[in-house]
Amino acid sequence: MEPHKVVSQQEWMKAQTAHLVKEKEYTRMRDRLRAERLELPWVKVEKNYVFDTPDGKKTLSELFDGRSQLALYHFMLGPDWEEGCTGCSFGCDHFDGANLHLQHHDVTLVAVARAPLAKIEAYKKRMGWQFPWVSSNGSDFNFDFDVSFNKEDIKAGKAVYNFRPLDFEMDELPGMTAFYKDEKGDIYRTFSQYARGGEEGIGAYMILDIMPKGRNEKGTMDWVKRHDEYEDDPQLKAMMAGSCCG
């Protein structure tokens, strides 16, 4: 860490107070952006998507689970992947704490991936997560929502991610899509965010942003590991000890 300027309490307060003006400006700008987001037009979902769940096949409508709003997290776990994306896992570590509150505020939170359900269930168990997670394996869902891609479409310039042509090869990418179901049962796609759009939902990042070293990363999430892969993790040590003892 580079040497930092150290000042008196009075000078520190003056600098903090001056900076607070910008912090408040940012907060008001963020509030305006959120209000504008709520005014964006919707698009009706016409296709009948069906997902594999631990309770059998379910339609997109059934994923709402009696609520009018559905937050669907597009998790990077492809059919042939051995384990889930590290960055997605980092983000999803924050879901269970929020989920109880979301459920009591008319929002159902569900993760979806293209991997078979058995692979999803195994990884979910490994991570110790409780939030619902379904499989879109064999359907067009991920491709229709621009989070899964094939090489032919990428080369032909047909693959789109974050509302622009995808210019690199990747078969899975993350995102979050918001849906609304009206009293008639019609479903609307109201908003989708991709890439770094979901960072505000990662509480660890929000705390790091006020720390002296900030995020302390050269590339986005270059320091992050799955929570059972940190060397000082007790669960990982127990697993390693168990494997050593046969």
Side-chain angles (χ1 to χ4, degrees), residues 136-198:
S136 61
N137 188 258
S139 80
D140 298 328
F141 183 80
N142 279 47
F143 296 96
D144 290 348
F145 283 80
D146 300 323
V147 290
S148 292
F149 317 91
N150 58 58
K151 294 180 180 179
E152 293 74 20
D153 285 344
I154 295 173
K155 291 179 179 178
K158 296 180 180 179
V160 173
Y161 182 68
N162 205 15
F163 307 103
R164 66 190 69 184
L166 182 66
D167 57 1
F168 58 92
E169 284 197 8
M170 191 74 184
D171 58 347
E172 306 287 336
L173 284 169
M176 174 84 83
T177 295
F179 297 93
Y180 176 75
K181 183 166 69 171
D182 65 18
E183 294 180 356
K184 297 184 299 181
D186 291 332
I187 298 174
Y188 302 88
R189 180 186 185 182
T190 66
F191 187 74
S192 286
Q193 60 181 193
Y194 304 100
R196 296 182 62 187

Side-chain angles (χ1 to χ4, degrees), residues 194-209:
Y194 304 100
R196 296 182 62 187
E199 282 188 0
E200 286 191 351
I202 302 178
Y205 258 162
M206 300 303 103
I207 294 173
L208 287 175
D209 284 344

Side-chain angles (χ1 to χ4, degrees), residues 25 90 237:
E25 181 183 349
F90 178 46
K237 286 184 178 180

Side-chain angles (χ1 to χ4, degrees), residues 22-49:
K22 296 180 180 179
E23 293 276 4
K24 288 186 175 182
E25 181 183 349
Y26 168 69
T27 299
R28 295 188 186 103
M29 183 182 298
R30 186 175 57 193
D31 288 343
R32 290 194 298 269
L33 180 66
R34 287 171 174 165
E36 290 175 8
R37 181 185 298 151
L38 295 179
E39 296 298 323
L40 289 172
W42 299 353
V43 61
K44 189 175 180 179
V45 179
E46 303 285 1
K47 190 177 289 189
N48 185 32
Y49 296 105

Side-chain angles (χ1 to χ4, degrees), residues 60 63-64 68-72 106-110 177-180:
L60 180 63
L63 294 187
F64 281 77
S68 71
Q69 300 171 97
L70 173 66
L72 209 56
D106 196 30
V107 175
T108 297
L109 173 65
V110 179
T177 295
F179 297 93
Y180 176 75

